[in-house]
Amino acid sequence: MTTQPEHPAPRILLVEDNPINMKLAADILEHDGFHVVRATDAEQARVILQGVIPDLILTDIDLPGMDGLTLAWVCKTNERLRDVPVVAITAFAMAADERKALASGCDGYITKPIQTRELASKVRSYLRPRRADGQDTGH
Ligand code: MN
């Protein structure tokens, strides 16, 4: 017997300082069955990450204070968080920014403006396979 649903909603930590982009992305992901935890800057994200290991971190690059690429690097150099996929949201669809995102440890990137029909499937494509017992693979 299990007390967990067979497919619990994947948890996404969404880090975005622009309220319009935050609402757009969160609405799309929640509509598609994700559980979205919101942070408006990297420091808030780091506080949340002390208590929650999400299935994926989706972060804007251009944030006040610590930027999204530094947040990615911080996560990827943390033993607890290194296996969590990090996907950057970048407004600049330029090769140099893509290389920077990947060099910072991001597993991928999504370019703005956010495509409402593609966001959820793109995010889903970066999720790691779940363990058969439904437990988090994190520590
Ligand atoms: Mn921003």
Side-chain angles (χ1 to χ4, degrees):
M1 259 185 78
T2 175
T3 55
Q4 290 192 328
E6 191 177 351
H7 299 291
R11 277 181 304 195
I12 307 294
L13 174 59
L14 176 59
V15 192
E16 171 62 79
D17 62 308
N18 179 298
I20 295 170
N21 288 336
M22 172 72 95
K23 179 168 171 33
L24 175 63
D27 283 354
I28 293 167
L29 292 171
E30 287 174 346
H31 181 77
D32 205 73
F34 292 95
H35 177 73
V36 180
V37 180
R38 296 160 172 80
T40 55
D41 61 33
E43 286 305 325
Q44 196 179 0
R46 292 178 72 186
V47 171
I48 291 168
L49 287 166
Q50 289 171 14
V52 174
I53 298 180
D55 294 296
L56 183 143
I57 299 167
L58 181 59
T59 182
D60 184 29
I61 290 180
D62 184 25
L63 294 168
M66 180 188 290
D67 67 32
L69 296 184
T70 305
L71 175 64
W73 184 84
V74 165
C75 292
K76 291 300 178 180
T77 53
N78 180 307
E79 187 71 30
R80 265 178 77 244
L81 301 171
R82 67 191 321 159
D83 292 334
V84 178
V86 179
V87 178
I89 306 172
T90 171
F92 330 100
M94 295 166 62
D97 294 300
E98 296 167 3
R99 280 198 300 273
K100 266 193 261 177
L102 299 179
S104 301
C106 292
D107 296 84
Y109 52 86
I110 288 172
T111 52
K112 288 187 201 174
I114 289 166
Q115 302 298 309
T116 53
R117 295 183 181 181
E118 294 172 14
L119 177 65
S121 61
K122 279 192 178 175
V123 167
R124 207 171 282 282
S125 74
Y126 289 112
L127 289 177
R128 295 187 194 285
R130 294 200 158 215
R131 271 170 41 176
D133 59 9
Q135 297 299 308
D136 287 342
T137 53
H139 305 290

